[in-house]
């Protein structure tokens, strides 16, 4: 399964760059990767609390910062005042964001992964970060809207 493979991969990369895999870190990693739902740090913390109540929010932040600096997690802002994290697909990809329920969905369009590189070439910029987001109603919210009408 992709999530398990990715969890093992991130653990290995942490080890390779000299980080210890503490039980707390492993819990955070599992909460980050489990649902591929682009959780916020606070959501990861709430999930981790269930299995590892001694893990602090500061540890969650620190672990996410470490993973972000290693390029193993994509950090994004979607307008709700919190950072959200995608550790499953850390490389560039666009997202669709539901303005009703806040759901964040990966958009997979072949060929789009080279967009940052193309933007760099077209502008002459050395690109450090990129985000492409589309806002609208998710399928579930469209259905609920129809039922309400
Ligand atoms: Zn929705
Ligand atoms: Mn994503």
């Amino acid at each position: 399964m992709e999530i398990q493979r990715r969890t093992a991969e991130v653990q290995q990369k942490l080890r390779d760059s000299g980080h210890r895999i503490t039980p707390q870190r492993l819990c955070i990693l599992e909460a980050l990767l489990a649902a591929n739902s682009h959780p916020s740090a606070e959501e990861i913390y709430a999930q981790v609390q269930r299995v590892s109540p001694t893990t602090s929010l500061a540890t969650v932040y620190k672990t996410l910062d470490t993973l972000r600096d290693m390029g193993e997690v994509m950090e994004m802002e979607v307008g709700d005042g919190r950072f959200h994290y995608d550790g499953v697909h850390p490389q560039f990809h666009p997202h669709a964001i539901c303005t009703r329920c806040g759901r964040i969905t990966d958009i997979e369009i072949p060929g789009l992964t080279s967009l940052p590189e193309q933007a760099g070439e077209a502008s002459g910029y050395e690109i450090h970060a990129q985000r492409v987001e589309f806002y609208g109603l998710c399928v579930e919210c469209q259905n609920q809207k129809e039922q309400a009408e």
Side-chain angles (χ1 to χ4, degrees), residues 8 10 21 24-25 28 50 58 61 63 70-71 75 86 89-90 98 100 103 105 108 123 148:
V10 176
I21 310 293
Q24 288 93 336
R25 275 224 173 101
I28 294 166
R50 292 190 206 164
Y61 285 137
T63 302
M70 288 168 62
E75 184 181 69
D86 188 339
H89 310 104
C98 181
R100 190 166 174 267
R103 182 196 305 264
T105 304
E108 289 170 43
S123 64

Side-chain angles (χ1 to χ4, degrees), residues 92-94 107-118:
F92 170 75
H93 59 281
I107 305 176
E108 289 170 43
I109 300 172
L112 218 56
T113 47
S114 63
L115 190 61
E117 200 188 323
Q118 290 179 52

Side-chain angles (χ1 to χ4, degrees), residues 58-148:
T59 303
V60 174
Y61 285 137
K62 247 186 280 172
T63 302
L64 289 169
D65 285 351
T66 301
L67 291 171
R68 184 202 54 213
D69 294 346
M70 288 168 62
E72 293 304 321
V73 72
M74 182 173 173
E75 184 181 69
M76 69 191 116
E77 277 180 288
V78 296
D80 65 355
R82 292 178 167 185
F83 286 115
H84 289 260
Y85 296 89
D86 188 339
V88 182
H89 310 104
Q91 69 284 24
F92 170 75
H93 59 281
H95 291 94
I97 295 133
C98 181
T99 51
R100 190 166 174 267
C101 72
R103 182 196 305 264
I104 305 170
T105 304
D106 293 327
I107 305 176
E108 289 170 43
I109 300 172
L112 218 56
T113 47
S114 63
L115 190 61
E117 200 188 323
Q118 290 179 52
E121 278 168 20
S123 64
Y125 275 51
E126 185 186 305
I127 305 294
H128 291 153
Q130 56 279 311
R131 7 187 306 214
V132 174
E133 286 129 23
F134 298 90
Y135 292 86
L137 282 184
C138 73
V139 176
E140 211 168 275
C141 285
Q142 289 174 54
N143 291 339
Q144 283 176 18
K145 201 180 86 179
E146 273 166 32
Q147 278 164 18

